[in-house]
Amino acid sequence: MAKAPVLTPQADDFPRWYQDLITKAELADNGPVRGTMVIRPYGYGLWERTQQELDARIKAAGAQNAYFPLFIPQSYLTREAEHVEGFAPELAVVTHGGGKELDEPVVVRPTSETIINDYFAKWVQSYRDLPLLINQWANVVRWEMRPRVFLRTTEFLWQEGHTAHATREEARDYASHIHREVYADFMVNVLGIDVVLGRKTPRERFAGAINTLTLEGMMGDGKALQLGTSHELGTNFARAFHTRYLSKEGQQEFVWQTSWGASTRMIGGLIMSHGDDAGLRVPPRLAAVQVVVMAIKGDESVAAVHEIGARLRAAGVRVEVDDRIDTPFGRRAVDWELKGVPVRVEVGPRDLAAGTAVLARRIPGGKEQVGIDADTLAARIPALLEEDQAMLLRQSRERREARTSDVTAVEDAAQAALAGGWARIPWAVLGPDGEAALAERGVSVRCLIAEDGSVPTEDDAPGALAIVGRAY
């Protein structure tokens, strides 16, 4: 009788495979309130590494971290009409506290444009106070109707950046810098996902923004996932909150603003972009554990794996030593494979006697005998990790290119998306009417790109190409 697979095969049921992997790789559990999640230590380790990598890039862009309250007076959201309209269906509102009805209901933070602008209006007085560049690491709440762990949850973790500038050009350039040098650099070079950088259509842009820049990744089933966005807010919030500055010429001017964010949704993107039927495959540059050194059995093996682990750590490799010889080796190996640790070094009594170890690579697959000398391993493994990182990015790019069709008719764009891929179609052919027709069929314009693949300006948008697909 054939042995049952550990995970539901992707080809049989991709959503079930996704949920199986999250559970069996011990990434997260569903929380007690519908739509919430409990992130387990291994899953949180991936988020911590994400935070570290993004935070370094955000600080290099000149932004400083701050923190603003979770509770926002409801009246704040009503000051910017388009913003409140866009978020109204997702708001969680507190009407009672301390056993009493509140004088004014408070909203649990869905995003922080309104409360941050209230303080920007106090902090910005002169052109000398600009630019003001703030980032916040926080949780937000958006009442999700169709929750899915990591992808769409009622509460999730993220960073949200908010900036104020003297001119539209400065704000535009900063939003673009975050888009390219923070988000794209991280997603391509650390997550290993070959994202498409583009501009959202008016229908899809952020509520209250004049422009939204997006990063779209193709998942293993051909659907699109929006992995991060950077918005130009114009002066919409500045006018609502009277955020003005005294210019060098002595004139009162409204600031021009940006906001930008990326969330735990990226962990979902990591799973769906790189995972296979054996579990997760974690990009080495992101991995909290790059190498696990495993003792198969025997006290001598335990001593050896600790020595190897120490040498690898000294070489800058993130290592975990698995010396649980009271747990069957096969079970432990399957668990590490599910978790997607890039490299396993397996050591048993026979290996020690032969002066070798077994090196198993999760990303390309396969095993080989290697010399057990820790210095040799420390010299070789970093190069293997870089090879595996490059492989994941290459596979991501090849999948997207193979499953993207160039079309010139709206119906062909719909068919390509419904068949499990993306379509490129001239925006002049599709237009807002075609976009609305696609939406009725569960297909959306993910972004607009220029013919050379770059991000189009507002003036270039009429001649752009629309990337069309089904989305999470």
Side-chain angles (χ1 to χ4, degrees), residues 308-350:
I308 293 169
R311 295 280 186 89
L312 290 175
R313 286 192 196 95
V317 178
R318 295 187 289 277
V319 178
E320 182 159 333
V321 172
D322 183 347
D323 60 2
R324 300 169 296 161
I325 56 176
D326 55 341
T327 300
F329 172 76
R331 176 180 169 183
R332 289 184 286 137
V334 169
D335 285 345
W336 288 117
E337 191 153 283
L338 279 166
K339 287 180 166 66
V341 172
V343 173
R344 299 195 309 272
V345 177
E346 303 169 354
V347 182
R350 291 187 204 173

Side-chain angles (χ1 to χ4, degrees), residues 65 78 86 94 105 108 120 138 140 213 236 243 268 279 315 331 333 378 386 418:
N65 286 335
T78 62
V94 179
V108 183
F120 275 16
V140 293
L213 303 173
N236 291 344
T243 311
R331 176 180 169 183
E386 285 301 298
L418 294 171

